[in-house]
Each structure stands twice: as structure tokens, then as C-alpha cells.
Amino acid sequence: MFGMAMFAIVMGVSLASCTKDDNPDGGDFSNEKKLVKMVMNDEQGKALEVFTFRYDSNGRLAESSVSIDYGASTVSANYIWGDDAIQINNLRFDNVCTLSLSNGLVQSSSDGDSYTYNQSNKITKWGKATVLWDGDMAMSIYDGSDNYTFTYGESCKKGYYPMLPYFMGYMSPTEMMLFMAHPEIAGMKTKQLPTKMGGLTFAYEFDKDGYISEFGFNNNKTTLTWE
């Protein structure tokens, strides 16, 4: 199962407790704004999940947090970057997860997970999850129990689509937030936007610069802030 609370409204969910800016899809990501906040609202407009991201002076994620289930639970983390590793300190559970890096891509974690990529440096396997790509588009994600298929129809002019880590199954929230902020280090960075996932249809709105400002399905909406 993917993600956390919002998509559980329609599909169900499981939340784990873990814990070189490549541009493989050809879009221009240089000197772009960072994702600093993402709010997932339910059908009544209440904030079901709130993600926040803070970056250091080098533009690397320094801290993140997610408030889940209308604020009933919060997971936060800080991140220490090295030349060949990223240390994730899960502040809620007081544990540490270290990701190894090679050629700008995560290769494995101290939790025992490994990452596999195709020749275009797109992720094809992480833990129980398997991803099938067609160029820049993730066409399907099998998370070990369920298979999600995607249809595409548009792309964003600026920024990227931050939700692929959300669909990757039993990924810890601290790793998921890292990859939402830095999808390039896990082969997930793309400007291509899914318009359908199974029986769900997604709609998007953009700000004046071309960044995704809102997307959703039915009456559920997610707002994004870039700075």
C-alpha cells in the first residue's frame, strides 16, 4: 500500500517507522524553487496531512516534518549530508537510518533496503516496490501487494512531480520526505504529471511561474508551496 492518510480515504495505507542534481528527463531544474510545504486536504477542506521542508544554505534538505491524521501524529527528522551518505535522524522514534550514495544516487540503506536503477538512472526497484518506466513516465508501481498504473497527459513547466515517493509502498515517512524534496537522488525526478491512476482522475493547477500549486481527485485537494 502507498502513502499515508489522505489516499487511505479511497485505498488504504500502511505507515512504516524507519527511518549531483541529475536531470534524466531533460527538463531544466537549475536554479528552481524548492518545495517547502504540501497540505493534503480532505473532502471537507480540512488538513489531513501537512508536510514541511527546510533547506540548508546549499539547498539540501535539513529538516522535514509531516503532521498526520488531522495533527493526531507528527513525524519529524533532520538530515546530515556527507560525500557518500545521508544520515536521517528520526526525531519521533529517536533512531538513525543511513543511506549510502554513489554517483549521486542512493544505493542502499542501513535498514537493509537496496535501490536498483535502469540505464537512464530511473529507479526500478526499492525494497518490495518495482517501477516500470516509459521514458520519463512511471507507468506502474507494484508495491509488493498492489499494482498501480498511471496515464499521463501533461507536464509542469517548473519544479517537478513530488508524489512518486508517496506511491512507493512501505517507505518510511522520513525517507519519503527526503525523496519528495530531492527526487533526483532516488531516480524519481520528473516533470511528467499523471492524470489517471487506476480509476482516479487527477487535475492540476499551476502558479504564474509554472510550478504545481494544486492537484487533487474528486473533492480532495493538495496545495503546494515553492520558494
Side-chain angles (χ1 to χ4, degrees), residues 2 4-13 43 197 200 202 217-218 220:
F2 64 79
M4 293 184 291
M6 179 183 179
F7 284 88
I9 295 173
V10 291
M11 296 209 178
V13 63
E43 293 182 352
M197 184 185 72
L200 297 178
F202 295 99
F217 62 93
N218 299 335
N220 302 85

Side-chain angles (χ1 to χ4, degrees), residues 82-104:
D83 291 336
D84 56 4
I86 303 170
Q87 179 178 302
I88 305 173
N89 300 310
N90 187 321
L91 303 179
R92 178 180 179 185
F93 296 103
D94 192 27
N95 63 8
V96 176
C97 176
T98 301
L99 305 180
S100 67
L101 295 172
S102 178
N103 298 318

Side-chain angles (χ1 to χ4, degrees), residues 33-221:
K33 296 178 181 179
K34 300 287 188 181
L35 178 64
V36 297
K37 191 172 185 179
M38 187 163 63
V39 180
M40 298 181 171
N41 298 295
D42 65 14
E43 293 182 352
Q44 287 74 45
K46 296 180 180 179
L48 181 55
E49 293 180 31
V50 179
F51 294 85
T52 60
F53 307 89
R54 188 183 70 80
Y55 302 84
D56 64 19
S57 59
N58 294 314
R60 302 174 302 190
L61 185 66
E63 296 177 356
S64 69
S65 68
V66 56
S67 173
I68 307 164
D69 195 17
Y70 306 101
S73 178
T74 299
V75 177
S76 58
N78 59 37
Y79 303 84
I80 300 174
W81 294 70
D83 291 336
D84 56 4
I86 303 170
Q87 179 178 302
I88 305 173
N89 300 310
N90 187 321
L91 303 179
R92 178 180 179 185
F93 296 103
D94 192 27
N95 63 8
V96 176
C97 176
T98 301
L99 305 180
S100 67
L101 295 172
S102 178
N103 298 318
L105 293 171
V106 175
Q107 303 298 318
S108 62
S109 78
S110 58
D111 289 338
D113 295 315
S114 60
Y115 298 72
T116 303
Y117 305 90
N118 63 20
Q119 293 182 344
S120 300
N121 288 335
K122 296 293 191 183
I123 192 164
T124 56
K125 190 169 180 59
W126 168 86
K128 298 178 181 179
T130 302
V131 188
L132 177 65
W133 292 84
D134 181 3
D136 309 329
M137 298 175 288
M139 303 305 297
S140 69
I141 297 176
Y142 174 66
D143 71 359
S145 60
D146 298 304
N147 188 66
Y148 306 106
T149 59
F150 302 88
T151 301
Y152 291 81
E154 58 184 319
S155 61
C156 52
K157 295 179 181 178
K158 292 287 188 177
Y160 55 89
Y161 182 64
M163 293 302 293
L164 287 183
Y166 198 91
F167 301 137
M168 291 292 285
Y170 298 93
M171 183 177 292
S172 76
T174 54
E175 289 181 52
M176 180 178 68
M177 289 187 286
L178 173 63
F179 300 148
M180 283 179 166
H182 292 286
E184 71 278 3
I185 67 173
M188 301 182 193
K189 197 164 193 176
T190 179
K191 292 181 180 293
Q192 304 298 323
L193 307 178
T195 53
K196 289 185 179 181
M197 184 185 72
L200 297 178
T201 298
F202 295 99
Y204 298 87
E205 293 184 9
F206 305 90
D207 65 19
K208 60 182 179 60
D209 297 317
Y211 292 88
I212 305 168
S213 60
E214 184 178 285
F215 71 88
F217 62 93
N218 299 335
N219 292 320
N220 302 85
K221 294 191 177 185

